[in-house]
């Protein structure tokens, strides 16, 4: 009951944030002019955008498989499918609930603990946040951006620091002073102890330097494709963006989506992208059109890929396939 109430509260907050963001961005845009800009988009560049989004998601699927390797071998094709399913869920559910959906789907489909799988997703998020804050920081320095955006990046650095500390504590919690007493007390609730153990097993991949380094390298490939999507989206609309400007757009939008929002980050994506584009002298109508075009490309690719993956993987059960380590029945929940 408490978990359901928490999920509903998070979803409600996300939808409210999206409504406010949409109001803020739409009140400064002439929709008729923005539509005219969108109508001028070059089909060839749009096709390149779609390919870049596909490359982005494909790299993220490979990164997740890399993080899962110390726990179990899951074929890349299936990991990519679960990744697409998570994106599809994010497109229709608020507050980034797709992260829970893909953890649940992979755990159930591959016969792994869903809580352990969620632990690898947490590690992935920490690595991803560190990369995106780094990209934003370099872009701000190159472009000499000041003001609210620069302050937000500084807060991002602090947030990454807290995430790293929290992750380190999660990985090494069983070695900390006083943990024996805490564990002995917690043994009154065996299910809680088991969930904590399984989560720590997923988080423990962060204690492998080669695993983290590989995940970071693959993450850079994904972010290069993401930056390219904004760069090519600008070309499609006749908006000339530099590499640094496209990098700031991509990283800035990603940082904004950390805040819970409605399905598909609707509103927060457009408001952030249009606001950042305005820093480069792009008009509000053209900036909004760019945000809509890039967002639409992402939603189309991830939705189609998610539907295809769902149709291909829906028949899978909790039985672990050959070559995958089965850790027993997944009786824990998806969170």
């Amino acid at each position: 009951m408490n978990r359901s109430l928490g999920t509903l509260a998070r979803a409600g907050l996300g939808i409210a944030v999206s409504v406010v963001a949409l109001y803020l961005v739409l009140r400064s845009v002439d929709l008729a002019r923005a539509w005219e800009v969108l109508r001028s988009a070059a089909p060839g560049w749009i096709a390149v955008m779609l390919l870049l989004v596909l490359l982005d998601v494909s790299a993220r699927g490979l990164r997740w498989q890399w993080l899962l390797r110390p726990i179990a071998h899951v074929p890349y094709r299936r990991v990519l499918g679960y990744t697409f399913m998570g994106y599809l869920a994010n497109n229709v559910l608020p507050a980034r609930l797709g992260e829970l959906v893909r953890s649940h789907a992979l755990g159930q489909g591959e016969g792994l603990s869903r809580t352990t799988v969620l632990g690898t997703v947490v590690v992935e998020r920490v690595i991803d946040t560190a990369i995106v804050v780094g990209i934003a920081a370099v872009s701000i320095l190159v472009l000499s951006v000041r003001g609210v955006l620069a302050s937000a990046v500084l807060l991002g650095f602090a947030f990454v620091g807290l995430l790293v500390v929290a992750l380190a504590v999660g990985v090494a919690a069983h070695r900390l002073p006083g943990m024996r007493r805490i564990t002995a007390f917690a043994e009154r609730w065996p299910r809680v102890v088991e969930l904590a153990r399984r989560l720590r097993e997923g988080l423990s991949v962060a204690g492998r330097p080669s695993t983290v380094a590989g995940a970071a390298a693959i993450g850079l490939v994904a972010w290069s494709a993401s930056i390219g999507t904004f760069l090519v989206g600008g070309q499609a609309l006749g908006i000339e963006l530099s590499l640094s400007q496209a990098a700031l757009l991509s990283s800035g939008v990603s940082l904004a989506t950390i805040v819970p929002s409605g399905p598909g980050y609707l509103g927060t994506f457009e408001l952030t992208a249009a606001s950042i584009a305005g820093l480069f002298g792009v008009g509000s109508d053209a900036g909004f059109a760019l945000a809509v075009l890039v967002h639409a490309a992402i939603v189309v690719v991830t939705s189609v890929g998610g539907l295809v993956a769902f149709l291909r993987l829906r028949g899978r059960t909790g039985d672990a396939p050959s070559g995958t380590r089965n850790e027993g029945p997944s009786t824990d929940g998806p969170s």
Side-chain angles (χ1 to χ4, degrees), residues 66 127 208-218:
W66 181 266
I127 293 172
R208 297 170 174 261
S210 60
T211 298
V212 173
I218 299 170

Side-chain angles (χ1 to χ4, degrees), residues 88-165:
L88 173 61
N90 275 334
N91 290 341
V92 298
L93 298 174
R96 297 189 72 113
L97 294 177
E99 306 292 3
L100 299 181
V101 170
R102 66 176 169 124
S103 300
H104 178 89
L106 188 145
Q108 180 172 331
E110 304 302 323
L112 300 174
S113 163
R114 287 162 284 183
T115 304
T116 299
V117 173
L118 181 60
T120 66
V121 172
V122 171
V123 174
E124 179 194 75
R125 292 293 89 208
V126 173
I127 293 172
D128 217 36
T129 304
I131 291 175
V132 75
V133 169
I135 291 172
V138 172
S139 301
I140 282 177
L141 289 175
V142 171
L143 297 170
S144 300
V145 174
R146 300 288 185 270
V148 175
L149 192 56
S151 299
V153 172
L154 289 175
L155 287 175
F157 271 114
F159 182 60
V160 168
L162 289 174
L163 287 177
V164 171
V165 171

Side-chain angles (χ1 to χ4, degrees), residues 17 29 32 50 84 106 113 129 150 154 160 163 169 171 189 202 205 215 217 220 237 257 259 287-288 293 296 304:
V17 169
V29 172
L50 296 175
F84 267 113
L106 188 145
S113 163
T129 304
L154 289 175
V160 168
L163 287 177
V169 170
V171 171
W189 301 276
V205 300
L220 289 174
L237 299 177
T257 60
V259 178
F288 179 72
L293 181 63
V304 172

Side-chain angles (χ1 to χ4, degrees), residues 10-99:
R10 183 178 175 183
L13 174 62
I15 293 172
V17 169
S18 278
V19 170
V20 172
L22 275 174
Y23 168 76
L24 292 175
V25 69
L26 291 178
R27 71 175 186 174
S28 62
V29 172
D30 185 323
L31 291 179
R33 291 181 181 177
W35 173 243
E36 288 301 316
V37 175
L38 279 172
R39 287 181 58 187
S40 70
W45 285 117
I46 292 177
V48 176
M49 284 178 61
L50 296 175
L51 289 174
L52 285 169
V53 175
L54 181 59
L55 173 60
D56 185 358
V57 180
S58 298
R60 293 173 190 273
L62 180 61
R63 179 180 60 188
W64 194 19
Q65 185 201 32
W66 181 266
L67 288 171
L68 286 164
R69 283 179 64 184
I71 298 169
H73 170 70
V74 184
Y76 171 70
R77 178 174 57 85
R78 292 206 293 269
V79 178
L80 180 60
Y82 296 123
T83 301
F84 267 113
M85 287 172 63
Y87 275 106
L88 173 61
N90 275 334
N91 290 341
V92 298
L93 298 174
R96 297 189 72 113
L97 294 177
E99 306 292 3

